[in-house]
Amino acid sequence: MPKETPGRVRRLRAAMAREGFDAIVAFKPQNSFYMSGFNPIIYSHPVVAILTPEGSDALLVHALRDDHAKEASFLSDIRLYGAWSTKKTMGPSWRAALKTILAERGIEKGRIGLDLDFISVARFREIETELAGAEFADASDAIMQCRSVKDDDEIENARAAGEIADVGMDAAILALRKGGNEREISLASMAAMSHSWADRYPDKEVADFGNLEHGIQNGMFAWVLSGDRMFLNCDNPTTKTPQNGETTAILLWSVLDGIHTENERTVMIGEVSQEKRRALEAILEIRSEVFDMIRPGTLYSDLFNAAKAGLETRGYGSYIPGRIGHSMGLGAHEWPSIDAATDIPLAPGMILAIEPNIRIPGEVATQISDTVLVTDEGCEFLTKSEGGLLQA
């Protein structure tokens, strides 16, 4: 029985018509998944999703991905290249196969949209040579604008991923309070998230998007950075045990069927300095002010400017971050960022990670983030872990 084409693909077709594309050809793993529903986990051979305005879509994969693609993709026209056992393919080259697919539709010399924010110069030159006579344009913005508003199934996956992240945060804080080191806290959190997925969502995947050289079978990640290591912002957890007077950042990503959520908390260890406590109190207040502004029509830059004003009012005007959050979805850090330059209005169905912070080098670092859904009236928290001034 044919699988239903998601609404997001129909929206992308409308964008194609506005941009005058005869086809969009996507290579970026998140984009090819968006247009096909297929994530091979490792992309050692190109996965090429081809979308046309009239719906004659196709998915071009290496022969070794045939069975997986047919099982996972909502597209019915799945083409093969390369060689693998007894599989019948279009030939050894994905480039020649792509040309044939476009020629079948009479658009091999048409206006082709590519995700130029992803493909390499070398790959573009290969496409340009194979499709001599075609006109190429960047489809990246059109794709990302469609990706920024989620379908109902993507929202449900985000809600479930948020619940899983909350389980991971509870486990991390418990391990921290028991005296665990960074690595032990991270392991406890990732194990809890994986068990929550296995127990509650047996028909969902937690694979993330890999690349040419590796795959990510489980995208449940936890970082823990304590003391001065918070200024690294992202690093592999070590055997360092958080000490009295320090703050510890717990940073989690969870993913379900490709959709990500982010959950981050800063925990005080014992008695911390007044400067650390004051900074955390300031950020908690600013977060509340920003959350109160989240509703359809508010600009991304409005949220940033509110956080900026809040920092300046509280004496932190010298420590304004470059952004106070970002969109979430198929990317754990998705376009657009919540910064001063992004004058895009919020719309129902957008998912955001809100994370205003203070960094005073050598003195104070805060990292608190929640993932929220923009609704018709305001926002819905997708991560709901214990908040406020957390202490271990």
Side-chain angles (χ1 to χ4, degrees):
M1 181 177 177
K3 298 176 183 177
E4 183 178 353
T5 301
R8 51 189 168 271
V9 175
R10 294 192 290 273
R11 291 202 309 275
L12 188 51
R13 288 195 215 287
M16 290 176 65
R18 291 193 298 271
E19 298 288 337
F21 293 132
D22 294 306
I24 288 180
V25 177
F27 291 84
K28 188 175 184 178
Q30 289 86 347
N31 292 343
S32 61
F33 176 82
Y34 188 78
M35 291 163 53
S36 72
F38 175 54
N39 176 9
I41 302 177
I42 185 169
Y43 290 77
S44 52
H45 303 88
V47 173
V48 189
I50 301 135
L51 189 73
T52 64
E54 74 280 2
S56 57
D57 309 326
L59 179 65
L60 177 61
V61 299
H62 191 277
L64 70 91
R65 310 295 181 198
D66 181 28
D67 295 337
H68 190 183
K70 287 177 178 174
E71 179 182 272
S73 178
F74 50 75
L75 299 182
S76 58
D77 187 2
I78 296 175
R79 306 293 187 91
L80 309 180
Y81 67 91
W84 193 257
S85 185
T86 60
K87 298 290 184 182
K88 296 185 183 303
T89 76
M90 299 178 70
S93 166
W94 63 265
R95 295 174 294 279
L98 173 61
K99 182 177 182 179
T100 298
I101 292 168
L102 295 176
E104 290 172 355
R105 290 150 175 78
I107 53 175
E108 75 276 18
K109 295 185 184 297
R111 189 166 190 263
I112 309 300
L114 300 171
D115 41 9
L116 294 179
D117 65 343
F118 172 78
I119 63 174
S120 66
V121 172
R123 179 161 291 176
F124 177 73
R125 287 174 177 164
E126 291 176 323
I127 297 168
E128 193 176 38
T129 299
E130 193 70 45
L131 299 176
E135 176 190 352
F136 299 103
D138 191 1
S140 305
D141 285 350
I143 296 170
M144 289 307 302
Q145 286 173 19
C146 287
R147 280 177 49 183
S148 69
V149 176
K150 276 55 180 179
D151 283 355
D152 288 345
D153 65 312
E154 294 178 304
I155 291 169
E156 286 307 307
N157 287 333
R159 286 194 179 103
E163 292 171 4
I164 290 172
D166 290 346
V167 170
M169 184 59 72
D170 290 346
I173 292 174
L174 178 61
L176 176 60
R177 286 172 174 161
K178 288 182 175 179
N181 63 37
E182 291 180 354
R183 194 162 293 172
E184 291 165 339
I185 297 164
S186 296
L187 288 171
S189 178
M190 289 188 289
M193 287 193 287
S194 290
H195 282 297
S196 178
W197 157 60
D199 293 342
R200 300 170 61 190
Y201 301 102
D203 298 323
K204 300 286 187 178
E205 292 188 354
V206 294
D208 217 320
F209 299 99
N211 59 34
L212 289 175
E213 298 184 353
H214 78 98
I216 304 174
Q217 185 272 334
N218 188 330
M220 304 292 192
F221 297 133
W223 292 264
V224 177
L225 301 168
S226 60
D228 289 343
R229 282 175 44 76
M230 283 186 65
F231 295 103
L232 301 181
N233 299 312
C234 184
D235 190 28
N236 206 245
T238 69
T239 57
K240 179 184 182 302
T241 300
Q243 301 297 307
N244 186 59
E246 293 181 336
T247 51
T248 294
I250 301 169
L251 308 96
L252 308 182
W253 287 345
S254 61
V255 58
L256 213 64
D257 277 2
I259 301 296
H260 295 76
T261 59
E262 178 178 284
N263 187 343
E264 299 173 347
R265 294 291 184 266
T266 298
V267 183
M268 301 179 294
I269 313 300
E271 293 300 320
V272 302
S273 68
Q274 283 301 309
E275 184 60 26
K276 287 184 173 66
R277 179 179 285 269
R278 189 171 79 86
L280 284 166
E281 289 173 342
I283 283 299
L284 291 170
E285 292 169 359
I286 291 167
R287 277 166 46 90
S288 294
E289 294 165 3
V290 171
F291 286 131
D292 286 344
M293 295 178 61
I294 297 177
R295 66 182 64 86
T298 299
L299 303 180
Y300 274 67
S301 56
D302 292 340
L303 302 180
F304 176 85
N305 289 328
K308 179 175 180 287
L311 289 166
E312 290 171 338
T313 299
R314 293 167 175 84
Y316 295 105
S318 299
Y319 307 102
I320 306 298
R323 68 179 185 184
I324 64 150
H326 49 84
S327 293
M328 298 285 293
L330 296 178
H333 286 79
E334 202 170 74
W335 175 92
S337 289
I338 304 174
D339 56 28
T342 305
D343 291 330
I344 295 173
L346 298 180
M350 290 181 171
I351 296 177
L352 313 174
I354 305 295
E355 51 182 4
N357 65 78
I358 295 172
R359 292 284 194 280
I360 303 177
E363 294 184 25
V364 173
T366 70
Q367 193 63 43
I368 305 172
S369 177
D370 278 297
T371 304
V372 299
L373 168 71
V374 181
T375 65
D376 290 334
E377 290 80 29
C379 72
E380 171 191 341
F381 277 76
L382 302 180
T383 50
K384 305 173 185 179
S385 295
E386 180 183 3
L389 288 172
L390 301 176
Q391 193 160 25

